[in-house]
Short mmCIF file of all heavy atoms in Angstrom, two decimals:
data_model
loop_
_atom_site.label_atom_id
_atom_site.label_comp_id
_atom_site.label_asym_id
_atom_site.label_seq_id
_atom_site.Cartn_x
_atom_site.Cartn_y
_atom_site.Cartn_z
N ALA A 206 -40.27 -22.90 3.78
CA ALA A 206 -40.37 -23.71 5.00
C ALA A 206 -40.86 -25.11 4.65
O ALA A 206 -41.76 -25.30 3.83
CB ALA A 206 -41.34 -23.05 5.98
N SER A 207 -40.24 -26.11 5.26
CA SER A 207 -40.61 -27.52 5.06
C SER A 207 -40.65 -27.89 3.59
O SER A 207 -41.61 -28.49 3.10
CB SER A 207 -41.98 -27.81 5.71
OG SER A 207 -41.96 -27.48 7.08
N TYR A 208 -39.61 -27.49 2.87
CA TYR A 208 -39.56 -27.80 1.44
C TYR A 208 -39.48 -29.30 1.20
O TYR A 208 -38.67 -29.99 1.82
CB TYR A 208 -38.34 -27.12 0.80
CG TYR A 208 -38.19 -27.41 -0.68
CD1 TYR A 208 -39.00 -26.78 -1.61
CD2 TYR A 208 -37.24 -28.33 -1.14
CE1 TYR A 208 -38.87 -27.04 -2.96
CE2 TYR A 208 -37.10 -28.60 -2.48
CZ TYR A 208 -37.92 -27.95 -3.39
OH TYR A 208 -37.80 -28.22 -4.73
N GLU A 209 -40.30 -29.78 0.29
CA GLU A 209 -40.32 -31.20 -0.05
C GLU A 209 -40.13 -31.36 -1.55
O GLU A 209 -40.97 -30.94 -2.34
CB GLU A 209 -41.65 -31.85 0.39
CG GLU A 209 -41.86 -31.82 1.90
CD GLU A 209 -43.20 -32.44 2.30
OE1 GLU A 209 -43.98 -32.78 1.38
OE2 GLU A 209 -43.46 -32.57 3.50
N GLU A 210 -39.02 -31.94 -1.90
CA GLU A 210 -38.68 -32.08 -3.32
C GLU A 210 -39.72 -32.86 -4.10
O GLU A 210 -40.07 -32.51 -5.23
CB GLU A 210 -37.31 -32.77 -3.45
CG GLU A 210 -36.17 -31.98 -2.84
CD GLU A 210 -34.88 -32.77 -2.83
OE1 GLU A 210 -34.53 -33.32 -3.89
OE2 GLU A 210 -34.24 -32.85 -1.77
N GLU A 211 -40.22 -33.93 -3.47
CA GLU A 211 -41.15 -34.80 -4.20
C GLU A 211 -42.47 -34.11 -4.54
O GLU A 211 -43.19 -34.54 -5.45
CB GLU A 211 -41.44 -36.07 -3.38
CG GLU A 211 -42.03 -35.82 -2.00
CD GLU A 211 -40.97 -35.61 -0.93
OE1 GLU A 211 -39.80 -35.37 -1.30
OE2 GLU A 211 -41.33 -35.69 0.25
N ASN A 212 -42.76 -33.01 -3.82
CA ASN A 212 -44.01 -32.29 -4.09
C ASN A 212 -43.81 -31.06 -4.97
O ASN A 212 -44.77 -30.35 -5.26
CB ASN A 212 -44.67 -31.85 -2.76
CG ASN A 212 -45.13 -33.05 -1.94
OD1 ASN A 212 -45.51 -34.08 -2.50
ND2 ASN A 212 -45.07 -32.93 -0.63
N ASP A 213 -42.59 -30.85 -5.39
CA ASP A 213 -42.30 -29.70 -6.24
C ASP A 213 -42.28 -30.16 -7.70
O ASP A 213 -41.25 -30.56 -8.24
CB ASP A 213 -40.95 -29.07 -5.85
CG ASP A 213 -40.71 -27.73 -6.53
OD1 ASP A 213 -41.40 -27.44 -7.52
OD2 ASP A 213 -39.83 -26.98 -6.06
N GLU A 214 -43.45 -30.13 -8.33
CA GLU A 214 -43.57 -30.63 -9.70
C GLU A 214 -42.73 -29.82 -10.68
O GLU A 214 -42.16 -30.37 -11.63
CB GLU A 214 -45.04 -30.60 -10.13
CG GLU A 214 -45.94 -31.54 -9.34
CD GLU A 214 -47.37 -31.52 -9.82
OE1 GLU A 214 -47.63 -30.86 -10.86
OE2 GLU A 214 -48.22 -32.16 -9.19
N GLU A 215 -42.67 -28.52 -10.45
CA GLU A 215 -41.90 -27.65 -11.36
C GLU A 215 -40.44 -28.07 -11.39
O GLU A 215 -39.86 -28.25 -12.47
CB GLU A 215 -42.03 -26.19 -10.91
CG GLU A 215 -41.25 -25.23 -11.81
CD GLU A 215 -41.28 -23.81 -11.29
OE1 GLU A 215 -41.19 -23.62 -10.06
OE2 GLU A 215 -41.37 -22.89 -12.12
N MET A 216 -39.83 -28.24 -10.20
CA MET A 216 -38.42 -28.61 -10.16
C MET A 216 -38.21 -30.04 -10.64
O MET A 216 -37.17 -30.36 -11.22
CB MET A 216 -37.88 -28.45 -8.73
CG MET A 216 -37.69 -27.00 -8.28
SD MET A 216 -36.72 -25.97 -9.40
CE MET A 216 -35.11 -26.75 -9.31
N SER A 217 -39.19 -30.89 -10.41
CA SER A 217 -39.07 -32.28 -10.86
C SER A 217 -38.97 -32.36 -12.37
O SER A 217 -38.26 -33.19 -12.93
CB SER A 217 -40.28 -33.09 -10.37
OG SER A 217 -40.30 -33.15 -8.96
N LYS A 218 -39.68 -31.45 -13.06
CA LYS A 218 -39.65 -31.43 -14.52
C LYS A 218 -38.33 -30.85 -15.03
O LYS A 218 -37.78 -31.31 -16.04
CB LYS A 218 -40.81 -30.61 -15.06
CG LYS A 218 -42.18 -31.24 -14.86
CD LYS A 218 -43.27 -30.34 -15.40
CE LYS A 218 -44.66 -30.95 -15.17
NZ LYS A 218 -45.74 -30.05 -15.63
N LEU A 219 -37.83 -29.85 -14.32
CA LEU A 219 -36.61 -29.16 -14.77
C LEU A 219 -35.35 -29.92 -14.38
O LEU A 219 -34.42 -30.04 -15.18
CB LEU A 219 -36.57 -27.75 -14.18
CG LEU A 219 -37.63 -26.76 -14.67
CD1 LEU A 219 -37.58 -25.46 -13.88
CD2 LEU A 219 -37.43 -26.47 -16.16
N LEU A 220 -35.31 -30.41 -13.13
CA LEU A 220 -34.13 -31.11 -12.64
C LEU A 220 -34.21 -32.61 -12.95
O LEU A 220 -34.97 -33.34 -12.33
CB LEU A 220 -33.99 -30.92 -11.13
CG LEU A 220 -33.32 -29.63 -10.63
CD1 LEU A 220 -33.39 -29.55 -9.12
CD2 LEU A 220 -31.88 -29.53 -11.09
N LYS A 221 -33.46 -33.05 -13.90
CA LYS A 221 -33.40 -34.47 -14.21
C LYS A 221 -32.73 -35.21 -13.05
O LYS A 221 -32.09 -34.61 -12.21
CB LYS A 221 -32.63 -34.71 -15.51
CG LYS A 221 -33.20 -33.94 -16.70
CD LYS A 221 -34.68 -34.21 -16.91
CE LYS A 221 -35.23 -33.40 -18.08
NZ LYS A 221 -36.70 -33.54 -18.20
N ALA A 222 -32.90 -36.52 -13.02
CA ALA A 222 -32.46 -37.32 -11.87
C ALA A 222 -31.01 -37.06 -11.48
O ALA A 222 -30.69 -36.83 -10.30
CB ALA A 222 -32.68 -38.80 -12.17
N ASP A 223 -30.10 -37.08 -12.46
CA ASP A 223 -28.69 -36.91 -12.15
C ASP A 223 -28.39 -35.50 -11.63
O ASP A 223 -27.62 -35.30 -10.70
CB ASP A 223 -27.81 -37.21 -13.37
CG ASP A 223 -28.18 -36.36 -14.57
OD1 ASP A 223 -29.32 -35.86 -14.61
OD2 ASP A 223 -27.32 -36.20 -15.46
N LEU A 224 -29.06 -34.51 -12.24
CA LEU A 224 -28.85 -33.13 -11.82
C LEU A 224 -29.47 -32.88 -10.44
O LEU A 224 -28.92 -32.13 -9.64
CB LEU A 224 -29.46 -32.17 -12.85
CG LEU A 224 -29.08 -30.69 -12.73
CD1 LEU A 224 -27.56 -30.52 -12.82
CD2 LEU A 224 -29.77 -29.86 -13.80
N ALA A 225 -30.60 -33.52 -10.18
CA ALA A 225 -31.25 -33.39 -8.87
C ALA A 225 -30.35 -33.93 -7.77
O ALA A 225 -30.22 -33.33 -6.69
CB ALA A 225 -32.59 -34.12 -8.87
N GLY A 226 -29.73 -35.07 -8.04
CA GLY A 226 -28.82 -35.66 -7.06
C GLY A 226 -27.62 -34.75 -6.81
O GLY A 226 -27.18 -34.58 -5.66
#
Side-chain angles (χ1 to χ4, degrees):
S207 303
Y208 178 76
E209 296 179 355
E210 297 173 49
E211 59 272 15
N212 294 328
D213 190 342
E214 295 182 6
E215 180 185 39
M216 287 307 295
S217 296
K218 291 178 181 178
L219 293 172
L220 277 174
K221 304 306 178 186
D223 57 338
L224 193 58

